[in-house]
Amino acid sequence: MANTPLLEGLHVVDLASFIAGPAAAAILGDFGADVVKVEPPRVGDAYRSLSRMPPNPRVEGINYPWQLDNRNKRSIALNLKSPGARDVVERLVTWADVLVTNFPPRTRAKLGLDYDDLAPLNARLIYADVTGFGEEGPDAHLPGFDVTAFWARSGLMDVTRQRDAAPAINAFGSGDHPTAITLFAGIMTALYRREKTGQGSRVTASLVAEGAWAAGMWLQAALVGGKAPRPADRSDPPNALANVYRTADDRWLLLAFANEDKQVPLFLQAIGHPEAAENPHYADSKSRRAHAAEIAGVLDKTFATRSLDEWRELLDSAGLTYGVVRTLDEFAHDPQLVANRILVPIEDGNAEPHLTIDSPVRLDQERKVPARPAPDLGEHTESVLRDLGYDDAGLAELRKAEAIE
């Protein structure tokens, strides 16, 4: 494993707000890049206040989403609307290898931050742009959030609910974070291209494209004339052996049998119904699909007779594939997360540091930098500006122009 982080020396300007863009920049920082986050003075990135918005959990004194997606960054508070800020922007672009933005197209154009505005300043610049609904089309100007562009627009919110139940609100950021991985992959691809050509390029990603990719199997079926599944009715499922069942202690198990011909006899034996193997309704996959409601009814009654722990012991002994529907509180204490370094400590000087979630990209031969605290608003404004060549007089001019405070 190398002693020097893989991306050490890579300069990144994070002009994005909220989750997908900043999270992609955070992954670059995990591998050692120097990430400068540009925020508006006084208010900062609106993501700083997201933890106070219901239904997000409130944790007194800890801004947990900000820490998750803005660790290992330097923050500069810069008023991009001030004409005096333009020189700073141009110096940042000249300094940068990568610039990340999620401004809507109209805002980018108004601020002079389009790719065509900035690329002439730095021929090697990787310009990474993430939007809600893409760069073209009638909805390109709309603000995009993962709940609207990833979950609702893609059909995922519809197919993941039970029939006759209202669509559920998904965990905030659950569409943003996979989109961040896509943007990170695009940035790394562009950096590889730059190694071969010497030229920068523009990288794009969108929440709606990520939603299409996530729903891809069933969306592809719809494209070729297949009828996409409607919201499930667990009492009358398409497949009773790919269904959820409630245990006696009010927990839920998900069955997931990939090889039914092998697993069904073992399953019937484990649940105490070996005689069902002789029932023609259960004889083969076609019969089981035709009688799925009947089978689901039998399994509902069967699983209701024992606790989750009892069922786990029986199913594990039979070598069957299933999942336990866990709560987030349980998952937070799952030993697999620590064993696989999915959770890592925040190096903040505390004797017992809090844990945070590592980005899921990993190379065995490369080390990531330790997770350090996310910056306060404008914490590094002066030091970054001095890195860009501003002296005391230059800083005074920027303050006079209200570009910085």
Side-chain angles (χ1 to χ4, degrees), residues 312-387:
R312 291 187 68 183
E313 183 176 352
L314 288 168
L315 297 175
D316 285 343
S317 296
L320 295 164
T321 310
Y322 69 95
V324 176
V325 180
R326 295 186 181 275
T327 68
L328 281 174
D329 289 336
E330 289 174 324
F331 192 43
H333 299 92
D334 190 326
Q336 284 297 111
L337 300 185
V338 174
N340 289 282
R341 302 186 307 284
I342 297 167
L343 299 183
V344 294
I346 301 169
E347 296 205 350
D348 56 6
N350 289 323
E352 296 185 11
H354 291 102
L355 296 175
T356 192
I357 304 158
D358 193 13
S359 51
V361 179
R362 181 175 299 158
L363 285 73
D364 284 350
Q365 290 73 29
E366 298 291 338
R367 70 177 183 90
K368 293 183 177 179
V369 301
R372 297 185 297 273
D376 293 332
L377 173 59
E379 180 179 345
H380 307 95
T381 298
E382 185 170 326
S383 62
V384 169
L385 291 174
R386 290 192 182 278
D387 286 350

Side-chain angles (χ1 to χ4, degrees), residues 271-296:
I271 66 175
H273 289 291
E275 76 287 349
E278 306 304 320
N279 188 328
H281 290 183
Y282 311 152
D284 53 35
S285 295
K286 184 177 180 180
S287 299
R288 289 190 287 270
R289 302 298 181 268
H291 298 90
E294 174 189 330
I295 297 171

Side-chain angles (χ1 to χ4, degrees), residues 175-369:
D176 283 300
H177 282 125
T179 305
I181 293 292
T182 295
L183 191 64
F184 169 77
I187 290 168
M188 297 306 294
T189 303
L191 288 170
Y192 179 71
R193 176 182 180 273
R194 192 177 76 173
E195 286 298 303
K196 298 181 73 173
T197 67
Q199 297 297 308
S201 55
R202 183 179 185 181
V203 175
T204 61
S206 71
L207 291 164
V208 74
E210 198 71 26
W213 186 244
M217 186 180 296
W218 290 355
L219 181 60
Q220 184 66 49
L223 291 173
V224 295
K227 187 172 178 57
R230 296 299 300 152
D233 179 353
R234 57 166 304 278
S235 65
D236 186 13
N239 181 358
L241 299 179
N243 200 21
V244 290
Y245 296 98
R246 193 197 305 260
T247 65
D249 52 348
D250 199 29
R251 298 302 303 272
W252 291 90
L253 279 169
L254 168 68
L255 300 182
F257 296 166
N259 186 346
E260 289 187 18
D261 290 338
K262 176 182 178 181
Q263 292 179 298
V264 166
L266 298 174
F267 174 63
L268 294 175
Q269 182 74 33
I271 66 175
H273 289 291
E275 76 287 349
E278 306 304 320
N279 188 328
H281 290 183
Y282 311 152
D284 53 35
S285 295
K286 184 177 180 180
S287 299
R288 289 190 287 270
R289 302 298 181 268
H291 298 90
E294 174 189 330
I295 297 171
V298 171
L299 294 181
D300 265 338
K301 294 176 182 177
T302 301
F303 278 106
T305 63
R306 298 176 185 265
S307 69
L308 173 63
D309 286 345
E310 290 174 296
W311 281 120
R312 291 187 68 183
E313 183 176 352
L314 288 168
L315 297 175
D316 285 343
S317 296
L320 295 164
T321 310
Y322 69 95
V324 176
V325 180
R326 295 186 181 275
T327 68
L328 281 174
D329 289 336
E330 289 174 324
F331 192 43
H333 299 92
D334 190 326
Q336 284 297 111
L337 300 185
V338 174
N340 289 282
R341 302 186 307 284
I342 297 167
L343 299 183
V344 294
I346 301 169
E347 296 205 350
D348 56 6
N350 289 323
E352 296 185 11
H354 291 102
L355 296 175
T356 192
I357 304 158
D358 193 13
S359 51
V361 179
R362 181 175 299 158
L363 285 73
D364 284 350
Q365 290 73 29
E366 298 291 338
R367 70 177 183 90
K368 293 183 177 179
V369 301

